[in-house]
Amino acid sequence: MGIVAGLDSSPDFTRIVVCDADTGAVLKQGYAAHPVEGGGRASDVDPQAWLLSLGEAAGGGLLEGVQAIGVSSQQNAVVPLDAQGNTVRPAMVGGDKRAQVAAADLVDALGGREAWAQAVGCVPQAPQPVTKLRWLNKTEPDAALRTAVLLQAHDWLVWQLLGRPVRRTTDRGGASGTGYWSAATGAYRADLVELALGHQAMLPEVIGPSDAAGTTPEGLLISAGTGETMAAAFGLGIGLGDAVVSLGASGSVMAVHPEALVDNSGMITSLADATGMHLPVVTTLNAVRTLRGAAEMLGLGDLESLSELAMKSTPGSHGLVLLPYLEGERTPNLPHTAGTLSGLRRESMKPEHLARAAFEGMLCGLADALDVLRGRGVEVRRVFLLGAAAELSAVQAAAPALFGAQVVVPQPADYAAIGAARQAAWALGVSQGTLDPRTPPMWQGPAAQVLEPGEELAVGQAVRQQYVSVREQTYPGAFR
């Protein structure tokens, strides 16, 4: 078929991969940091910065011979435009803490968490576009009044690449994270835009996973684009039976499912993926921050040292159990709690047992999140483990048995950019009549370590039960 490119515009940089359209083999790469005023990441960003880093990353003829481009970009960024297509104010990006009060306002305005879950499959959080619109309406009413068009970061980049046409598009994946589009119905809730912004605004057309957003004057096909989470899932090649556990400061668990899940408790965020399926997501507030806290408490300089120390202990940490709710917790919904260390006995009061309890507590918290999905009928046969902490020996030793599934640790790569390139290859193939619009191109999967629970499964389940007993004793009915 030829050569395609995937462009990932993250919060800090633009990464471009150029791939063989048939196999997915990465042929060339480009990278450039976003130019940032004032030297640090801000909640408000001029979207021109994304274009500047895109141009720099594509320098040196990187895109010569490329026939199609896919765009992945940071989620939760919203770009408000006026009726002429100019930005009303800088894009509102990231986990914008300014909008926390606006999130609570929105939840109350529609009648509570259940009403939002039923409407769009998620409960408003501070980072979401719908919440940022409420904040804009309340704090910058003039800017809100001038806002006529709403785009997300990948929508805006696609629109710019196509020369700012009259038609503006998005995809299911990106739309499902806005808080005003429902993955269950496949439709916008314009009334929720009005509830947040104070008036209606034009929203981009949601096109199919294999559709093209358009063609540049030079004949370059631009695919639909999608959010970073959906692009990374597509780049990893996950399908039914697969879950992805991401180990950042906080954690997230997502899985592929054939239908949207409506969860009245608000623990599941019902996103759409980049293939026509669904991506239910459950987040925890405490993942690697649990390990960093334990390392500091034990006077260790890095997580590798904590991992080595933990490996000197044994499964179950001699009865020590850490409930890792250091920042409160979303799963279960315990926003005002603190962490709990249980099972202190003279023989368990050793550094290696505390180190092991930190790893087991973090992983058991993520296993709780996996069980929220399993409890709703989501099949989990293997778990992709992402993040730098996935390389730690203590994580790899405990995760398969605690998750009760095969664990795959992919080699580090730009999976969001690769997913965007795969989407470009799909749209190109459909346009040429060589690919089915319902079946994405089969690319080779990532190089990875594969870890089996094996004989450790029973031991892992005993450790898990020890954790669940302490959680139920401390917070009875937290998951009811």
Side-chain angles (χ1 to χ4, degrees):
M1 268 165 45
I3 300 172
V4 294
L7 181 164
D8 177 42
S9 181
S10 84
D12 298 311
F13 58 81
T14 297
R15 180 90 66 183
I16 300 175
V17 296
V18 176
C19 299
D20 181 285
D22 291 317
T23 66
V26 176
L27 308 174
K28 293 185 284 186
Q29 299 186 58
Y31 169 90
H34 298 321
V36 179
E37 292 179 20
R41 186 189 296 179
S43 297
D44 294 329
V45 174
D46 182 349
Q48 292 297 326
W50 307 334
L51 283 182
L52 289 170
S53 67
L54 192 167
E56 189 181 338
L62 184 77
L63 299 179
E64 282 179 16
V66 166
Q67 295 165 275
I69 292 181
V71 177
S72 150
S73 191
Q74 58 182 303
Q75 283 151 243
N76 296 323
V78 61
V79 187
L81 304 177
D82 63 19
Q84 288 72 47
N86 302 311
T87 50
V88 167
R89 69 176 315 283
M92 295 174 282
V93 302
D96 199 334
K97 291 186 176 178
R98 298 175 301 186
Q100 285 174 336
V101 172
D105 283 350
L106 277 177
V107 172
D108 291 342
L110 195 66
R113 297 168 67 86
E114 288 188 22
W116 279 96
Q118 292 288 339
V120 286
C122 62
V123 178
Q125 305 286 337
Q128 281 178 299
V130 72
T131 310
K132 291 183 168 105
L133 297 181
R134 179 75 163 195
W135 176 87
L136 187 66
N137 183 18
K138 295 297 181 184
T139 57
E140 299 179 10
D142 291 345
L145 205 58
R146 287 189 294 123
T147 298
V149 182
L150 295 171
L151 297 180
Q152 289 182 277
H154 79 84
D155 310 337
W156 187 84
L157 284 165
V158 165
W159 183 58
Q160 295 289 332
L161 289 171
L162 290 171
R164 296 164 60 108
V166 173
R167 181 190 188 219
R168 300 178 184 94
T169 62
T170 190
D171 86 306
R172 298 168 65 254
S176 67
T178 59
Y180 44 80
W181 185 87
S182 166
T185 64
Y188 281 116
R189 286 287 301 264
D191 59 316
L192 299 183
V193 174
E194 186 168 355
L195 181 69
L197 187 62
H199 61 87
Q200 296 286 349
M202 284 188 65
L203 302 169
E205 176 190 345
V206 181
I207 61 176
S210 62
D211 291 345
T215 306
T216 68
E218 299 78 28
L220 190 65
L221 190 81
I222 309 293
S223 65
T226 194
E228 226 167 16
T229 297
M230 300 79 190
F234 198 40
L236 282 166
I238 68 167
L240 289 173
D242 292 334
V244 177
V245 173
S246 296
L247 300 176
S250 54
S252 70
V253 176
M254 64 180 177
V256 178
H257 199 56
E259 59 191 34
L261 295 179
V262 174
D263 174 49
N264 288 339
S265 74
M267 279 194 289
I268 298 174
T269 297
S270 192
L271 300 178
D273 79 346
T275 72
M277 301 283 275
H278 294 268
L279 268 184
V281 179
V282 180
T283 58
T284 69
L285 293 182
N286 302 280
V288 176
R289 62 166 44 102
T290 306
L291 305 183
R292 296 204 184 285
E296 287 171 18
M297 191 174 176
L298 292 166
L300 300 172
D302 54 45
L303 297 186
E304 288 75 14
S305 301
L306 185 73
S307 176
E308 288 171 16
L309 185 61
M311 292 300 284
K312 295 176 182 174
S313 181
T314 52
S317 311
H318 270 243
L320 273 192
V321 174
L322 177 65
L323 300 182
Y325 305 153
L326 309 184
E327 301 281 326
E329 190 47 80
R330 275 189 65 185
T331 307
N333 186 29
L334 299 167
H336 306 300
T337 56
T340 303
L341 186 62
S342 175
L344 284 168
R345 292 187 175 84
R346 179 65 192 89
E347 63 273 15
S348 65
M349 296 175 75
K350 292 181 179 176
E352 60 268 29
H353 302 324
L354 177 58
R356 179 97 189 190
F359 282 96
E360 290 178 345
M362 175 187 77
L363 292 169
C364 283
L366 290 161
D368 277 349
L370 267 175
D371 282 354
V372 170
L373 295 179
R374 284 175 166 137
R376 292 297 306 276
V378 177
E379 187 181 8
V380 178
R381 290 194 304 270
R382 65 178 178 169
V383 174
F384 285 76
L385 203 52
L386 303 184
E391 304 288 335
L392 297 172
S393 55
V395 170
Q396 295 190 4
L402 291 177
F403 292 160
Q406 182 188 81
V407 168
V408 179
V409 184
Q411 284 186 358
D414 299 301
Y415 292 110
I418 290 167
R422 190 179 177 205
Q423 188 194 64
W426 195 5
L428 180 64
V430 169
S431 75
Q432 295 173 338
T434 57
L435 286 178
D436 187 319
R438 294 159 301 180
T439 309
M442 297 300 293
W443 280 12
Q444 56 204 58
Q449 280 179 278
V450 178
L451 310 167
E452 300 284 356
E455 295 175 1
E456 295 295 312
L457 184 59
V459 174
Q461 297 312 292
V463 173
R464 185 79 206 293
Q465 188 53 51
Q466 175 180 270
Y467 175 91
V468 169
S469 296
V470 171
R471 190 197 68 222
E472 276 299 301
Q473 195 174 349
T474 312
Y475 302 106
F479 276 102
R480 278 184 209 141

